[in-house]
Amino acid sequence: MILGIESSCDETGVALVHAASNAPRLGGLVSAPYPVPTLLGAALHSQIDMHRAYGGVVPELASRDHIRRLIPLTNEVLAGANIALSAIDYVAYTCGPGLAGALLVGAGAACALGSALGKPVISVHHLEGHLLSPFLSADPPEFPFIALLVSGGHTQLMRVDGVGEYALLGETIDDAAGEAFDKTAKLLGLPYPGGPQLAKLAEGGDSAAFKFPRPLMHSGDLDFSFAGLKTAVLTQIKRLVGDVPEGATVRGAGIDSLNEETRRNLGASIQAAITEVLVKKSLKAVQQSGLSRLVVAGGVGANRSLREQLNAACAKVGIRVHYPELHLCTDNGAMIALAAAMRLQAGKAQSSRGYAFDVKPRWPLDQI
Ligand code: KG4
Ligand code: ZN
Protein backbone atom coordinates (compact mmCIF):
# COMPACT_ATOMS: atom_id res chain seq x y z
CA MET A 1 0.00 0.00 0.00
CA ILE A 2 1.76 3.12 -1.23
CA LEU A 3 0.78 6.70 -0.50
CA GLY A 4 2.01 9.10 -3.19
CA ILE A 5 2.53 12.84 -2.69
CA GLU A 6 3.02 15.31 -5.54
CA SER A 7 3.90 18.96 -4.86
CA SER A 8 6.43 19.96 -7.52
CA CYS A 9 4.54 22.91 -8.96
CA ASP A 10 0.99 24.24 -8.68
CA GLU A 11 -0.96 21.08 -7.91
CA THR A 12 -1.10 19.27 -4.60
CA GLY A 13 -1.82 15.63 -5.33
CA VAL A 14 -2.19 12.69 -2.95
CA ALA A 15 -3.12 9.14 -3.94
CA LEU A 16 -3.11 5.59 -2.68
CA VAL A 17 -1.97 2.70 -4.86
CA HIS A 18 -1.92 -0.99 -4.12
CA ALA A 19 0.73 -3.19 -5.72
CA ALA A 20 0.79 -6.96 -5.50
CA SER A 21 3.88 -7.85 -3.48
CA ASN A 22 4.18 -11.33 -5.01
CA ALA A 23 4.09 -9.93 -8.53
CA PRO A 24 6.63 -11.23 -11.01
CA ARG A 25 9.40 -8.71 -11.45
CA LEU A 26 8.63 -6.11 -14.07
CA GLY A 27 12.22 -5.19 -14.83
CA GLY A 28 13.16 -7.97 -17.20
CA LEU A 29 9.76 -8.44 -18.77
CA VAL A 30 9.30 -7.18 -22.28
CA SER A 31 5.98 -8.37 -23.53
CA ALA A 32 4.51 -10.71 -20.93
CA PRO A 33 1.44 -9.53 -19.03
CA TYR A 34 2.16 -8.17 -15.57
CA PRO A 35 -0.01 -7.00 -12.72
CA VAL A 36 -0.41 -3.26 -12.93
CA PRO A 37 -0.79 -1.61 -9.53
CA THR A 38 -4.31 -0.51 -8.63
CA LEU A 39 -5.36 3.04 -7.82
CA LEU A 40 -7.44 2.96 -4.62
CA GLY A 41 -8.08 6.65 -4.23
CA ALA A 42 -6.81 10.09 -5.17
CA ALA A 43 -7.35 13.74 -4.27
CA LEU A 44 -6.05 16.83 -5.97
CA HIS A 45 -6.03 20.54 -5.29
CA SER A 46 -5.16 22.84 -8.17
CA GLN A 47 -3.73 26.26 -7.30
CA ILE A 48 -4.61 27.68 -10.72
CA ASP A 49 -7.20 30.12 -9.36
CA MET A 50 -4.71 31.48 -6.84
CA HIS A 51 -1.92 32.03 -9.40
CA ARG A 52 -4.15 33.34 -12.19
CA ALA A 53 -4.08 36.90 -10.85
CA TYR A 54 -0.29 36.91 -11.35
CA GLY A 55 -0.33 35.36 -14.85
CA GLY A 56 1.82 32.41 -13.73
CA VAL A 57 3.00 30.35 -10.77
CA VAL A 58 4.33 32.35 -7.79
CA PRO A 59 6.71 29.87 -6.11
CA GLU A 60 6.37 31.17 -2.53
CA LEU A 61 2.58 31.14 -2.71
CA ALA A 62 2.72 27.63 -4.17
CA SER A 63 4.82 26.31 -1.26
CA ARG A 64 2.54 27.85 1.35
CA ASP A 65 -0.55 26.45 -0.27
CA HIS A 66 0.95 22.94 -0.46
CA ILE A 67 1.45 23.15 3.32
CA ARG A 68 -2.22 24.00 3.81
CA ARG A 69 -3.52 21.24 1.53
CA LEU A 70 -1.37 18.17 2.14
CA ILE A 71 -2.84 16.83 5.36
CA PRO A 72 -6.51 17.43 4.47
CA LEU A 73 -5.96 15.79 1.07
CA THR A 74 -4.23 12.80 2.70
CA ASN A 75 -7.14 12.39 5.12
CA GLU A 76 -9.59 12.65 2.21
CA VAL A 77 -7.82 9.90 0.24
CA LEU A 78 -7.59 7.54 3.22
CA ALA A 79 -11.22 8.10 4.22
CA GLY A 80 -12.41 7.66 0.62
CA ALA A 81 -10.52 4.37 0.26
CA ASN A 82 -11.48 3.30 3.79
CA ILE A 83 -7.84 2.61 4.62
CA ALA A 84 -6.23 3.39 7.99
CA LEU A 85 -3.05 5.45 8.11
CA SER A 86 -1.33 2.49 9.77
CA ALA A 87 -2.05 0.30 6.72
CA ILE A 88 0.32 2.34 4.54
CA ASP A 89 3.51 0.40 3.73
CA TYR A 90 5.44 3.12 1.91
CA VAL A 91 5.23 6.88 1.50
CA ALA A 92 6.37 8.11 -1.92
CA TYR A 93 7.00 11.74 -2.83
CA THR A 94 8.19 13.83 -5.77
CA CYS A 95 11.86 14.64 -5.17
CA GLY A 96 12.31 16.66 -8.39
CA PRO A 97 12.43 18.29 -10.82
CA GLY A 98 10.26 21.24 -9.85
CA LEU A 99 10.15 24.32 -7.64
CA ALA A 100 12.54 23.86 -4.71
CA GLY A 101 10.24 25.22 -2.02
CA ALA A 102 7.21 23.33 -3.30
CA LEU A 103 9.19 20.08 -3.49
CA LEU A 104 10.46 20.60 0.07
CA VAL A 105 6.90 20.71 1.40
CA GLY A 106 6.02 17.33 -0.12
CA ALA A 107 9.35 15.79 0.87
CA GLY A 108 9.04 17.11 4.42
CA ALA A 109 5.48 15.88 4.82
CA ALA A 110 6.32 12.45 3.36
CA CYS A 111 9.35 11.97 5.58
CA ALA A 112 7.49 13.17 8.69
CA LEU A 113 4.67 10.73 7.94
CA GLY A 114 7.06 7.87 7.19
CA SER A 115 8.98 8.56 10.37
CA ALA A 116 5.82 8.75 12.50
CA LEU A 117 4.55 5.47 11.05
CA GLY A 118 7.95 3.77 11.03
CA LYS A 119 7.49 3.06 7.31
CA PRO A 120 10.04 3.61 4.54
CA VAL A 121 9.87 6.55 2.15
CA ILE A 122 10.58 6.46 -1.59
CA SER A 123 11.69 9.51 -3.58
CA VAL A 124 10.25 9.67 -7.09
CA HIS A 125 11.27 11.52 -10.24
CA HIS A 126 8.32 13.64 -11.39
CA LEU A 127 8.84 12.81 -15.08
CA GLU A 128 9.05 9.10 -14.35
CA GLY A 129 5.59 9.52 -12.82
CA HIS A 130 4.29 11.16 -16.02
CA LEU A 131 6.01 8.54 -18.17
CA LEU A 132 4.48 5.58 -16.33
CA SER A 133 1.03 7.16 -15.83
CA PRO A 134 -0.50 5.40 -18.91
CA PHE A 135 -0.09 2.12 -16.96
CA LEU A 136 -3.11 3.24 -14.92
CA SER A 137 -5.24 3.58 -18.06
CA ALA A 138 -7.70 1.07 -19.47
CA ASP A 139 -5.20 0.35 -22.26
CA PRO A 140 -1.81 0.08 -20.52
CA PRO A 141 1.32 -0.15 -22.69
CA GLU A 142 3.98 -2.86 -22.63
CA PHE A 143 7.73 -2.32 -22.60
CA PRO A 144 9.65 -1.35 -24.66
CA PHE A 145 8.23 1.87 -26.06
CA ILE A 146 9.07 5.42 -27.12
CA ALA A 147 7.72 8.10 -24.81
CA LEU A 148 6.84 11.66 -25.74
CA LEU A 149 6.93 13.68 -22.54
CA VAL A 150 5.24 17.02 -23.04
CA SER A 151 4.66 19.20 -20.00
CA GLY A 152 4.99 22.81 -18.95
CA GLY A 153 8.70 22.38 -18.26
CA HIS A 154 9.79 19.52 -20.50
CA THR A 155 9.58 18.26 -24.05
CA GLN A 156 11.49 15.03 -24.47
CA LEU A 157 11.52 11.85 -26.52
CA MET A 158 12.79 8.87 -24.56
CA ARG A 159 13.33 5.21 -25.31
CA VAL A 160 11.89 3.19 -22.41
CA ASP A 161 13.03 -0.43 -22.12
CA GLY A 162 11.67 -1.07 -18.64
CA VAL A 163 11.20 0.59 -15.28
CA GLY A 164 14.21 2.86 -14.73
CA GLU A 165 15.64 2.19 -18.20
CA TYR A 166 15.32 5.50 -19.94
CA ALA A 167 17.46 6.81 -22.79
CA LEU A 168 17.03 10.39 -23.95
CA LEU A 169 16.64 10.58 -27.74
CA GLY A 170 15.86 14.26 -28.15
CA GLU A 171 14.51 17.28 -26.31
CA THR A 172 13.70 20.94 -26.66
CA ILE A 173 16.66 23.25 -26.96
CA ASP A 174 14.66 26.18 -25.52
CA ASP A 175 10.97 26.41 -24.51
CA ALA A 176 8.87 23.36 -23.66
CA ALA A 177 5.72 22.62 -25.68
CA GLY A 178 3.50 23.54 -22.71
CA GLU A 179 5.44 26.78 -22.29
CA ALA A 180 4.84 27.56 -25.99
CA PHE A 181 1.10 27.02 -25.46
CA ASP A 182 1.12 29.15 -22.31
CA LYS A 183 3.19 32.04 -23.71
CA THR A 184 1.30 32.34 -26.99
CA ALA A 185 -2.02 32.04 -25.18
CA LYS A 186 -0.95 35.00 -23.04
CA LEU A 187 -0.32 36.98 -26.22
CA LEU A 188 -3.90 36.20 -27.22
CA GLY A 189 -5.10 37.60 -23.90
CA LEU A 190 -6.06 34.21 -22.49
CA PRO A 191 -5.68 33.57 -18.76
CA TYR A 192 -3.08 31.25 -17.22
CA PRO A 193 -2.56 28.36 -17.78
CA GLY A 194 -2.96 29.03 -21.47
CA GLY A 195 -2.67 25.51 -22.92
CA PRO A 196 -6.23 24.30 -22.30
CA GLN A 197 -7.62 27.81 -23.02
CA LEU A 198 -5.81 28.03 -26.35
CA ALA A 199 -6.99 24.53 -27.26
CA LYS A 200 -10.56 25.62 -26.57
CA LEU A 201 -10.19 28.81 -28.62
CA ALA A 202 -8.75 26.77 -31.50
CA GLU A 203 -11.87 24.62 -31.81
CA GLY A 204 -13.55 25.48 -35.09
CA GLY A 205 -10.64 27.69 -36.15
CA ASP A 206 -8.77 27.31 -39.43
CA SER A 207 -5.31 25.92 -38.68
CA ALA A 208 -4.03 26.98 -42.10
CA ALA A 209 -5.12 30.62 -41.74
CA PHE A 210 -1.72 31.76 -40.45
CA LYS A 211 1.67 30.26 -41.29
CA PHE A 212 3.70 29.94 -38.12
CA PRO A 213 7.20 28.42 -38.10
CA ARG A 214 7.84 24.73 -37.41
CA PRO A 215 11.44 24.99 -36.19
CA LEU A 216 13.73 21.93 -36.50
CA MET A 217 10.93 20.05 -38.26
CA HIS A 218 13.38 18.79 -40.87
CA SER A 219 16.54 18.95 -38.76
CA GLY A 220 17.14 15.22 -39.04
CA ASP A 221 17.46 14.83 -35.26
CA LEU A 222 14.83 14.46 -32.54
CA ASP A 223 15.25 17.87 -30.93
CA PHE A 224 12.61 20.59 -30.68
CA SER A 225 12.62 24.38 -30.53
CA PHE A 226 9.55 26.44 -29.61
CA ALA A 227 11.01 29.78 -28.48
CA GLY A 228 10.65 31.36 -31.94
CA LEU A 229 6.93 30.72 -32.04
CA LYS A 230 5.96 33.45 -29.58
CA THR A 231 7.95 36.05 -31.55
CA ALA A 232 6.22 34.95 -34.76
CA VAL A 233 2.82 35.15 -33.07
CA LEU A 234 3.54 38.59 -31.60
CA THR A 235 4.67 39.84 -35.02
CA GLN A 236 1.47 38.50 -36.59
CA ILE A 237 -0.72 40.10 -33.94
CA LYS A 238 1.07 43.43 -34.39
CA ARG A 239 0.38 43.19 -38.08
CA LEU A 240 -3.31 42.59 -37.37
CA VAL A 241 -3.96 45.11 -34.62
CA GLY A 242 -1.24 47.70 -35.00
CA ASP A 243 1.83 48.17 -32.79
CA VAL A 244 2.04 46.60 -29.35
CA PRO A 245 4.76 47.41 -26.80
CA GLU A 246 7.43 44.68 -26.59
CA GLY A 247 6.70 42.14 -23.87
CA ALA A 248 3.19 43.46 -23.34
CA THR A 249 0.34 41.06 -23.12
CA VAL A 250 -1.64 42.16 -26.10
CA ARG A 251 -4.87 42.27 -24.13
CA GLY A 252 -6.04 45.83 -23.84
CA ALA A 253 -3.70 46.81 -26.64
CA GLY A 254 -5.91 45.67 -29.45
CA ILE A 255 -6.28 41.89 -29.31
CA ASP A 256 -9.88 42.36 -28.25
CA SER A 257 -10.48 44.34 -31.44
CA LEU A 258 -9.91 41.20 -33.50
CA ASN A 259 -13.06 39.38 -34.39
CA GLU A 260 -13.86 35.96 -32.98
CA GLU A 261 -13.01 34.17 -36.23
CA THR A 262 -9.54 35.72 -36.45
CA ARG A 263 -8.84 34.85 -32.82
CA ARG A 264 -9.96 31.27 -33.41
CA ASN A 265 -7.81 31.05 -36.53
CA LEU A 266 -4.81 32.37 -34.62
CA GLY A 267 -5.39 29.78 -31.88
CA ALA A 268 -5.81 26.93 -34.36
CA SER A 269 -2.72 27.96 -36.34
CA ILE A 270 -0.58 28.18 -33.19
CA GLN A 271 -1.81 24.80 -31.98
CA ALA A 272 -1.09 23.25 -35.37
CA ALA A 273 2.48 24.62 -35.38
CA ILE A 274 3.18 22.97 -32.02
CA THR A 275 1.38 19.68 -32.57
CA GLU A 276 2.65 19.08 -36.11
CA VAL A 277 6.27 19.08 -34.95
CA LEU A 278 5.45 16.85 -31.97
CA VAL A 279 3.68 14.32 -34.20
CA LYS A 280 6.39 14.31 -36.86
CA LYS A 281 9.28 13.82 -34.42
CA SER A 282 7.44 11.21 -32.34
CA LEU A 283 6.82 9.07 -35.40
CA LYS A 284 10.40 9.49 -36.49
CA ALA A 285 11.62 8.36 -33.05
CA VAL A 286 9.43 5.25 -33.09
CA GLN A 287 10.40 4.34 -36.64
CA GLN A 288 14.14 4.91 -36.02
CA SER A 289 14.00 2.69 -32.93
CA GLY A 290 12.30 -0.16 -34.76
CA LEU A 291 9.69 -0.30 -31.96
CA SER A 292 5.95 -0.21 -32.48
CA ARG A 293 4.61 1.57 -29.39
CA LEU A 294 4.35 5.22 -28.45
CA VAL A 295 3.38 6.56 -25.04
CA VAL A 296 2.38 10.20 -24.64
CA ALA A 297 2.47 11.78 -21.20
CA GLY A 298 2.48 15.17 -19.47
CA GLY A 299 0.00 18.05 -19.47
CA VAL A 300 0.13 18.72 -23.22
CA GLY A 301 -0.80 15.05 -23.72
CA ALA A 302 -4.33 16.15 -22.78
CA ASN A 303 -4.54 18.19 -25.99
CA ARG A 304 -7.28 16.72 -28.17
CA SER A 305 -5.89 17.88 -31.48
CA LEU A 306 -2.51 16.34 -30.63
CA ARG A 307 -4.22 13.05 -29.77
CA GLU A 308 -6.28 13.05 -32.98
CA GLN A 309 -3.25 13.74 -35.17
CA LEU A 310 -1.10 11.16 -33.38
CA ASN A 311 -3.84 8.53 -33.58
CA ALA A 312 -4.29 9.10 -37.31
CA ALA A 313 -0.56 9.18 -38.11
CA CYS A 314 0.23 6.13 -35.94
CA ALA A 315 -2.69 4.10 -37.32
CA LYS A 316 -1.34 4.61 -40.84
CA VAL A 317 2.01 3.02 -40.04
CA GLY A 318 0.89 0.42 -37.50
CA ILE A 319 2.14 2.13 -34.33
CA ARG A 320 0.09 1.66 -31.15
CA VAL A 321 -0.24 4.80 -29.09
CA HIS A 322 -1.09 4.94 -25.38
CA TYR A 323 -2.17 7.88 -23.25
CA PRO A 324 -2.84 8.40 -19.56
CA GLU A 325 -6.48 8.91 -18.57
CA LEU A 326 -7.23 12.60 -19.12
CA HIS A 327 -7.29 13.41 -15.39
CA LEU A 328 -3.82 11.83 -15.01
CA CYS A 329 -2.20 13.88 -17.80
CA THR A 330 -1.50 16.90 -15.65
CA ASP A 331 0.25 16.67 -12.27
CA ASN A 332 -1.28 14.28 -9.74
CA GLY A 333 -0.40 12.03 -6.81
CA ALA A 334 -1.43 8.80 -8.52
CA MET A 335 1.47 8.84 -10.95
CA ILE A 336 3.92 9.31 -8.07
CA ALA A 337 2.49 6.39 -6.08
CA LEU A 338 2.42 4.33 -9.30
CA ALA A 339 6.07 5.05 -10.15
CA ALA A 340 7.09 3.99 -6.63
CA ALA A 341 4.94 0.85 -6.89
CA MET A 342 6.39 -0.16 -10.25
CA ARG A 343 9.91 0.45 -8.98
CA LEU A 344 9.19 -1.76 -5.96
CA GLN A 345 7.86 -4.49 -8.25
CA ALA A 346 10.93 -4.17 -10.46
CA GLY A 347 13.23 -4.38 -7.44
CA LYS A 348 14.49 -0.91 -8.29
CA ALA A 349 13.03 1.30 -5.55
CA GLN A 350 15.42 3.16 -3.31
CA SER A 351 13.37 3.11 -0.15
CA SER A 352 14.81 4.63 2.98
CA ARG A 353 14.11 4.76 6.68
CA GLY A 354 16.66 7.56 7.12
CA TYR A 355 14.07 10.35 6.74
CA ALA A 356 16.80 12.86 5.94
CA PHE A 357 15.53 14.40 2.73
CA ASP A 358 16.79 16.53 -0.05
CA VAL A 359 15.08 17.72 -3.22
CA LYS A 360 16.40 17.99 -6.77
CA PRO A 361 14.84 20.98 -8.55
CA ARG A 362 16.91 20.08 -11.65
CA TRP A 363 17.20 16.36 -12.30
CA PRO A 364 17.55 14.82 -15.78
CA LEU A 365 15.43 11.68 -16.09
CA ASP A 366 18.19 9.61 -17.64
CA GLN A 367 20.35 10.28 -14.57
CA ILE A 368 18.14 8.55 -12.01
O1 KG4 B 1 2.47 18.07 -16.70
P1 KG4 B 1 1.92 19.37 -16.25
O2 KG4 B 1 0.64 19.37 -15.48
O3 KG4 B 1 2.92 20.16 -15.37
C1 KG4 B 1 4.30 20.13 -15.56
O4 KG4 B 1 4.95 19.19 -15.06
O5 KG4 B 1 4.77 21.06 -16.27
O6 KG4 B 1 1.75 20.24 -17.59
C2 KG4 B 1 1.24 21.53 -17.56
C3 KG4 B 1 1.30 22.08 -18.97
C4 KG4 B 1 0.92 23.56 -19.04
O7 KG4 B 1 1.85 24.22 -19.88
C5 KG4 B 1 -0.47 23.53 -19.68
O8 KG4 B 1 -0.78 24.70 -20.39
C6 KG4 B 1 -0.35 22.33 -20.58
O9 KG4 B 1 0.38 21.38 -19.83
N1 KG4 B 1 -1.68 21.77 -20.95
C7 KG4 B 1 -2.16 21.78 -22.22
C8 KG4 B 1 -3.45 21.19 -22.16
N2 KG4 B 1 -3.70 20.84 -20.85
C9 KG4 B 1 -2.60 21.20 -20.14
N3 KG4 B 1 -1.63 22.23 -23.36
C10 KG4 B 1 -2.37 22.10 -24.48
N4 KG4 B 1 -3.62 21.57 -24.51
C11 KG4 B 1 -4.18 21.10 -23.38
N5 KG4 B 1 -5.43 20.56 -23.44
ZN1 ZN C 1 4.24 17.50 -14.54
Side-chain angles (χ1 to χ4, degrees), residues 8-9 11 126-127 130 150-154 177-179 181-182 193-196 199 271 298-300 302-304 329-331:
S8 67
C9 189
E11 253 109 24
H126 180 82
L127 294 181
H130 276 303
V150 270
S151 69
H154 293 84
E179 218 173 341
F181 268 105
D182 295 342
Q271 178 170 262
V300 181
N303 185 274
R304 224 179 53 207
C329 274
T330 44
D331 294 347

Side-chain angles (χ1 to χ4, degrees), residues 20-354:
S21 57
N22 60 351
R25 297 238 151 151
L26 278 169
L29 289 183
V30 171
S31 59
Y34 39 79
V36 174
T38 323
L39 181 61
L40 299 183
L44 188 76
H45 175 78
S46 169
Q47 304 178 351
I48 282 175
D49 288 343
M50 182 180 75
H51 295 298
R52 187 168 283 138
Y54 307 92
V57 179
V58 183
E60 184 57 27
L61 293 182
S63 311
R64 288 168 190 235
D65 202 60
H66 287 309
I67 294 174
R68 276 194 289 273
R69 308 288 173 184
L70 263 173
I71 292 174
L73 287 174
T74 304
N75 288 334
E76 187 184 327
V77 169
L78 292 171
N82 201 18
I83 298 288
L85 198 55
S86 56
I88 293 171
D89 297 305
Y90 297 89
V91 184
Y93 65 94
T94 305
C95 180
L99 301 170
L103 289 165
L104 279 167
V105 175
C111 290
L113 186 56
S115 165
L117 296 172
K119 299 290 169 62
V121 293
I122 299 175
S123 68
V124 172
H125 193 294
H126 180 82
L127 294 181
E128 182 172 42
H130 276 303
L131 190 98
L132 298 176
S133 59
F135 280 92
L136 285 176
S137 75
D139 178 30
E142 288 173 17
F143 298 118
F145 54 77
I146 298 297
L148 171 69
L149 271 178
V150 270
S151 69
H154 293 84
T155 300
Q156 299 185 328
L157 279 162
M158 319 265 322
R159 181 187 165 112
V160 179
D161 283 295
V163 175
E165 292 176 38
Y166 313 127
L168 183 66
L169 303 176
E171 64 182 332
T172 182
I173 57 169
D174 41 52
D175 288 356
E179 218 173 341
F181 268 105
D182 295 342
K183 287 179 177 172
T184 53
K186 204 168 184 175
L187 292 176
L188 292 182
L190 298 169
Y192 155 88
Q197 304 273 345
L198 193 140
K200 208 163 138 215
L201 178 71
E203 280 171 24
D206 175 6
S207 60
F210 298 98
K211 273 261 150 291
F212 291 124
R214 274 103 167 122
L216 304 188
M217 179 104 132
H218 303 291
S219 59
D221 58 22
L222 297 170
D223 286 337
F224 303 90
S225 167
F226 292 109
L229 184 60
K230 58 181 186 295
T231 315
V233 171
L234 184 63
T235 308
Q236 181 61 61
I237 295 174
K238 280 179 180 172
R239 220 175 276 148
L240 291 167
V241 304
D243 228 8
V244 176
E246 199 60 49
T249 69
V250 187
R251 166 170 273 181
I255 187 78
D256 294 336
S257 69
L258 297 181
N259 65 32
E260 184 68 12
E261 188 188 353
T262 309
R263 285 161 47 81
R264 285 195 181 286
N265 289 347
L266 278 168
S269 302
I270 293 167
Q271 178 170 262
I274 299 171
T275 53
E276 202 180 310
V277 187
L278 294 176
V279 171
K280 173 114 185 164
K281 297 253 168 161
S282 300
L283 254 74
K284 190 181 171 110
V286 180
Q287 285 170 330
Q288 273 183 0
S289 68
L291 302 180
S292 58
R293 279 179 197 277
L294 175 68
V295 159
V296 182
V300 181
N303 185 274
R304 224 179 53 207
S305 171
L306 175 65
R307 288 186 176 212
E308 283 167 7
Q309 289 176 59
L310 274 175
N311 289 344
C314 288
K316 258 193 216 157
V317 290
I319 296 171
R320 286 210 54 191
V321 50
H322 302 262
Y323 305 92
E325 301 291 336
L326 270 181
H327 69 282
L328 297 182
C329 274
T330 44
D331 294 347
N332 62 85
M335 67 184 196
I336 302 306
L338 172 76
M342 289 182 72
R343 278 200 165 255
L344 281 167
Q345 288 181 327
K348 288 181 179 173
Q350 290 182 341
S351 66
S352 154
R353 287 175 193 269

